Amino acid sequence: MTGLRERKKQRTRDSLIRVSHELFVDKGYDETTVDEIADAVDVSQRTFFRYFASKEAVAFALQDEVESQFIDAVADRPADEAPLRALRSALDANWSRIGDAIQEVVPISVHMRLSQVIETTPSLLAVQMRRASETEDRLVTVLATREGLDPREDPRPRVLVALFAGVMRAAGRQWSAGDDITVESQRRAVEQCMDLMGPVLSDDWSARPSRTES
Amino acid sequence: MTGLRERKKQRTRDSLIRVSHELFVDKGYDETTVDEIADAVDVSQRTFFRYFASKEAVAFALQDEVESQFIDAVADRPADEAPLRALRSALDANWSRIGDAIQEVVPISVHMRLSQVIETTPSLLAVQMRRASETEDRLVTVLATREGLDPREDPRPRVLVALFAGVMRAAGRQWSAGDDITVESQRRAVEQCMDLMGPVLSDDWSARPSRTES
DNA sequence: AGATTAGTGTCAGCCGCTGACAATTGACAA
DNA sequence: TTGTCAATTGTCAGCGGCTGACACTAATCT
């Protein structure tokens, strides 16, 4: 059983996340002040910074969990799966479970709209991409371990992860540019871009229509 | 013939770039204050911000030119080259010309060490990656035009560029992790990673040693 | 209940960055 | 040459993000 102190802390933390995300979505990130967030949750600004190292950090608090979950899922894939296959499988397996942890803190709709805010706010986009590169590093380690390789000598894990991350980003851009802001459409965008990895590297681009038009 | 006013401006701008880069390399980015840069160039802090929108901007002033040059080179490739081939050719063609524009403002050694500083400074790394994504967008437009495609309907240009950018980043990481901080080793890293794009996507990773070991 | 410890609020201050206004300096014509 | 105009710069005040120091409050342990 957790003590009162700990529960209180968790409540404060969740409130800071929820309130800040709502403000970001409503007024925009740059237009939201840390003081406003702190006031709305009724704590001091100083306390906010004891929970989150920066204003950016609170915006990515939930993505943290999503990413960790994905990494674990990759590590748990059977060892005989090819590397790229393992990544896609982990994606598939986690797809449904992703939303649950989020919904306990923030409505999914807010979370989805926050994704858009992140893509359209330069400072947040920058942080998101740096975070992505950190996730890449963790993935490289996991994959290299699976294949029994040393990532310092063999660049293949790093290259594969870079390609994978690139595709994920391309899918993210495509999704956030459209108007169907749902988990399903997100999933569809990812799968479509994944399927194009092979064809796109070939020399012949003539008359191969994308799936959206066929 | 340019007027005195314009020449003075150019001199100030170059000085700000040179001095700031040297300070970043010597003391680190976070440890360098805008006031210090301004003082060293003997202008007011306010003037610094009239030349550069942010402290980050001055750190990427030279990369701006490099990237624009690359984009132009891609656009100038013959139309019958396959997309990926065009990217690699543009890279090759520009490789030697890159350093010249830089050396006029900052010694190459400083520029190379700054690349390392960027990779190891979280806030700068974030900005670099956002900038990379903007470059990607421009490349997508160029490639789509070359192939006569609409990037909104056909995701293939975006996916290819994402893969290309991913490989470039993987190469950059690998290079900046090593101790040979020269243009040649940078070039070698890029080419090695490029050559791995195809193999890495295949299902068979067994016993294919990387080029560094063979 | 009293001592201990964790969590919070307050205050002062640094740094990045911006608007406003006045002072300076190069450009250009009378 | 001189006077006018426009561009560039410096100064000042102020906001927002963020941090260290210290006192205060409240949960935990004995």
Side-chain angles (χ1 to χ4, degrees), chain A residues 71 74-75 79 81-84 86-87 135-161, chain B residues 200 205:
Chain A
I71 304 242
V74 173
E81 263 182 343
L84 180 57
L87 292 174
T135 307
E136 280 185 56
D137 288 345
R138 292 160 73 193
L139 269 181
V140 167
T141 307
V142 170
L143 280 190
T145 307
R146 273 173 54 94
E147 306 294 321
L149 301 172
D150 180 351
R152 257 186 307 278
E153 287 181 13
D154 194 330
R156 286 180 297 166
R158 178 162 290 286
V159 172
L160 174 61
V161 170
Chain B
V200 121
W205 272 31

Side-chain angles (χ1 to χ4, degrees), chain A residues 23-78:
Chain A
L23 284 172
F24 293 160
V25 165
D26 282 359
K27 323 186 357 176
Y29 177 78
D30 290 328
E31 290 71 31
T32 303
T33 300
V34 173
D35 283 313
E36 288 174 332
I37 302 172
D39 286 351
V41 179
D42 211 56
V43 295
S44 71
Q45 192 216 46
R46 194 67 183 81
T47 294
F48 173 93
F49 284 110
R50 282 198 256 259
Y51 279 87
F52 299 99
S54 64
K55 183 180 160 191
E56 284 145 4
V58 72
F60 290 98
L62 295 183
Q63 306 243 9
D64 272 341
E65 302 182 28
V66 174
E67 281 161 23
S68 297
Q69 226 171 4
F70 175 67
I71 304 242
D72 293 346
V74 173
D76 287 347
R77 296 304 305 172

Side-chain angles (χ1 to χ4, degrees), chain B:
Chain B
M1 185 66 188
T2 73
L4 167 58
R5 208 167 228 165
E6 208 164 334
R7 267 178 288 146
K8 229 174 170 178
K9 252 171 66 179
Q10 191 59 47
R11 277 220 327 265
T12 305
R13 189 186 143 86
D14 287 352
S15 295
L16 285 172
I17 295 176
R18 188 172 40 75
V19 167
S20 66
H21 286 206
E22 280 163 1
L23 284 172
F24 293 160
V25 165
D26 282 359
K27 325 187 355 178
Y29 176 79
D30 290 328
E31 291 70 32
T32 303
T33 300
V34 173
D35 283 314
E36 289 173 332
I37 302 172
D39 285 352
V41 180
D42 210 57
V43 295
S44 71
Q45 192 216 47
R46 194 66 183 83
T47 295
F48 173 94
F49 284 111
R50 283 198 255 259
Y51 279 87
F52 298 99
S54 65
K55 182 179 159 190
E56 285 144 4
V58 72
F60 289 98
L62 295 183
Q63 307 244 8
D64 272 341
E65 302 182 27
V66 174
E67 281 162 22
S68 297
Q69 224 170 7
F70 175 67
I71 304 241
D72 292 347
V74 173
D76 286 348
R77 297 304 305 172
D80 61 337
E81 263 183 342
L84 180 58
R85 182 72 242 152
L87 291 174
R88 290 200 66 163
S89 303
L91 217 51
D92 280 351
N94 263 37
W95 216 233
S96 59
R97 203 177 356 143
I98 287 177
D100 297 352
I102 293 171
Q103 195 125 25
E104 288 177 15
V105 185
V106 163
I108 286 286
S109 62
V110 171
H111 181 71
M112 293 286 120
R113 284 170 63 199
L114 182 60
S115 301
Q116 274 191 317
V117 171
I118 291 173
E119 291 272 347
T120 55
T121 305
S123 56
L124 284 183
L125 182 55
V127 172
Q128 189 186 41
M129 300 203 59
R130 175 172 54 81
R131 288 168 42 81
S133 98
E134 282 158 14
T135 306
E136 281 185 54
D137 288 345
R138 292 162 72 193
L139 269 180
V140 167
T141 306
V142 170
L143 280 190
T145 306
R146 271 173 56 94
E147 306 295 320
L149 302 172
D150 179 353
R152 258 186 307 279
E153 286 182 13
D154 194 331
R156 287 179 296 166
R158 177 161 291 285
V159 173
L160 174 62
V161 170
L163 295 180
F164 178 77
V167 171
M168 290 294 290
R169 269 209 59 259
R173 301 282 300 212
Q174 200 194 320
W175 172 78
S176 74
D179 16 69
D180 187 3
I181 311 298
T182 63
V183 198
E184 298 81 47
S185 76
Q186 200 177 27
R187 175 172 194 164
R188 250 180 282 125
V190 167
E191 285 175 353
Q192 182 193 15
C193 289
M194 282 283 183
D195 291 336
L196 286 173
M197 288 181 82
V200 121
L201 290 180
S202 80
D203 286 352
D204 183 18
W205 272 31
S206 59
R208 191 141 200 283
S210 75
R211 219 206 271 170
T212 54
E213 296 301 294
S214 61

